[in-house]
Amino acid sequence: MSHPQPLAPEEKLADAKRRLGLPQIVVICGSTRFMPEMGEADLRETAAGKIVVKPGCDLKSPHGLWSDPAGAEALKLRLDDLHRAKIRLADEALVVGDYIGDSTRAEIAYARSLGKPVRFTHPEVDPDA
């Protein structure tokens, strides 16, 4: 008699999202220099009926939360971990902007390593195209 294999965490998450009837979740990726464009992408994806997660902090813009250089570096590491969690949660990634730096390139590679579809607002910048 065979026993069913236990579900992997990713399969459990997908099953839970399906059972809850959640809409598709899209994570917005890209350089924070494109924060206004990310806001526009958020609006369009939300209007299309999707749940949107995106970067919430722009460390390149002045703010008291990251005014201390040592604290800012620690925050950046935590935000990078948080963004990878957003990628794991999402069903797909949308890369915003016409520039791909090292961080965004790593986000794309991570999403693809998880089997997530990756779309681009500027397809010509896809590093794998």
Side-chain angles (χ1 to χ4, degrees):
M1 177 195 242
S2 72
H3 297 285
Q5 291 294 99
L7 295 177
E10 298 82 7
E11 295 168 317
K12 287 181 182 179
L13 177 59
D15 184 55
K17 290 191 302 188
R18 190 173 37 259
R19 286 185 199 222
L20 290 168
L22 293 179
Q24 189 172 22
I25 300 172
V26 60
V27 59
I28 295 179
C29 299
S31 171
T32 55
R33 71 174 73 172
F34 298 115
M35 288 298 267
E37 291 87 346
M38 288 180 184
E40 179 67 20
D42 183 349
L43 183 133
R44 292 181 182 282
E45 295 294 313
T46 299
K50 297 177 184 176
I51 295 172
V52 179
V53 291
K54 65 181 182 19
C57 298
D58 176 4
L59 298 182
K60 294 175 184 149
S61 295
H63 194 283
L65 286 174
W66 48 84
S67 59
D68 169 55
E73 188 55 36
L75 177 60
K76 181 180 181 348
L77 295 173
R78 289 195 312 274
L79 292 174
D80 288 346
D81 287 344
L82 180 61
H83 198 68
R84 283 189 294 277
K86 291 175 183 181
I87 292 169
R88 289 192 303 276
L89 175 67
D91 299 304
E92 69 171 332
L94 173 61
V95 179
V96 172
D98 61 359
Y99 163 80
I100 303 291
D102 292 340
S103 293
T104 304
R105 192 177 319 278
E107 292 170 357
I108 294 166
Y110 185 62
R112 286 181 168 155
S113 78
L114 298 172
K116 310 280 180 175
V118 179
R119 291 186 291 128
F120 293 81
T121 59
H122 294 76
E124 67 275 9
V125 299
D126 182 350
D128 292 340

